[in-house]
Amino acid sequence: MAKLRVAYEYTEAEDKSIRLGLFLIVSGIVSLFILGFCWLNPALQDLQGKAANCTVLSVQLQTGELFECTFSCGADCKGTSRYPCLQIYVNSSEAPQARALLLHQDQQQLLANPKCSYIPPCERENEKNSDIVTHWQDYWEDEVGSQPFTCYFNQHLRPDDVLLRRTHDESVLLHCFLWPVVTFLVGVLIVVLTICAKSLAVKAEAIKKRKHS
């Protein structure tokens, strides 16, 4: 009876280990697909932009049209205010022909407002938003001026725009593949070790029976 109970407990532990291993294998595969579609695809689009040398052609503050932004002043306090549109036109060494390209802070701001080069941190008062944009205008006119700087240009995705910085870098690719693959390999390792342990236990039991017979 004791031997049967020990064998039952051993089998139950094996089943739990195999279920854990299979769960990790499935989790690794599913997470790889989720990260691939939700995170890896936009990261790859961002990384396709080539690093180039850009120089400022013109800095224009469009005061006639104001854009809305959403500010937060607490847990249950939100509202909208407005800011003027700053347009910074540059030329890029990677552009196929010399033409004015609109500069954007990053991919997120480009998608949020493709008409403007800068979206300020949204304040409640419109005047504060205007002051922030004006300060940014002075920075590009006075401090940057005609000095070349690094920008990122994607001729196929956005031929009329350049980015000042990338939202993602190569580490995103590493994390997208590393953790799902590690989870998958740990699951496979658990299943393989459990099967090997069971196989060794069966062989050891067979050897004992041969010795006693």
Side-chain angles (χ1 to χ4, degrees):
M1 186 68 179
K3 290 183 178 181
L4 290 176
R5 184 177 179 182
V6 171
Y8 172 76
E9 291 178 352
Y10 184 73
T11 303
E12 186 178 7
E14 288 176 346
D15 291 340
K16 289 182 178 179
S17 298
I18 291 178
R19 285 198 296 268
L20 175 62
L22 293 176
F23 172 76
L24 292 176
I25 291 173
V26 174
S27 298
I29 296 174
V30 172
S31 60
L32 184 61
F33 278 105
I34 293 175
L35 291 176
F37 284 108
C38 299
W39 196 6
L40 185 59
N41 188 38
L44 286 175
Q45 290 183 356
D46 192 12
L47 292 174
Q48 284 176 358
K50 294 182 179 179
N53 288 325
C54 286
T55 52
V56 176
L57 296 177
S58 65
V59 181
Q60 305 171 6
L61 185 61
Q62 307 293 331
T63 56
E65 183 180 7
L66 298 178
F67 292 85
E68 288 188 351
C69 62
T70 302
F71 65 85
S72 176
C73 49
D76 299 323
C77 176
K78 290 184 179 181
T80 58
S81 60
R82 295 176 178 272
Y83 64 92
C85 182
L86 177 65
Q87 294 178 328
I88 303 171
Y89 287 95
V90 303
N91 60 6
S92 170
S93 60
E94 289 293 331
Q97 53 185 338
R99 55 194 176 93
L101 306 173
L102 185 60
L103 178 68
H104 301 272
Q105 291 294 300
D106 52 33
Q107 182 75 14
Q108 293 179 350
Q109 289 202 3
L110 170 60
L111 296 177
N113 188 345
K115 292 184 178 181
C116 304
S117 297
Y118 178 67
I119 300 177
C122 197
E123 300 288 345
R124 183 195 292 265
E125 293 82 7
N126 294 343
E127 291 183 1
K128 287 187 177 181
N129 291 328
S130 297
D131 291 341
I132 295 173
V133 174
T134 302
H135 175 75
W136 199 245
Q137 177 188 9
D138 295 338
Y139 168 79
W140 282 98
E141 287 179 341
D142 301 334
E143 297 191 27
V144 178
S146 59
Q147 297 178 8
F149 60 93
T150 302
C151 63
Y152 298 93
F153 176 67
N154 191 329
Q155 179 181 352
H156 303 288
L157 187 63
R158 291 282 184 177
D160 297 323
D161 304 284
V162 292
L163 303 180
L164 181 61
R165 61 177 179 266
R166 286 172 172 169
T167 307
H168 308 89
D169 55 21
E170 287 76 5
S171 64
V172 174
L173 304 179
L174 175 64
H175 289 292
C176 281
F177 285 107
L178 177 62
W179 302 116
V181 170
V182 168
T183 304
F184 176 82
L185 292 177
V186 170
V188 171
L189 183 63
I190 291 174
V191 172
V192 170
L193 290 178
T194 303
I195 294 174
C196 290
K198 185 175 182 179
S199 176
L200 292 174
V202 170
K203 291 181 179 180
E205 189 67 24
I207 293 173
K208 285 183 180 179
K209 288 182 180 179
R210 290 176 185 176
K211 289 181 178 180
H212 290 295
S213 60

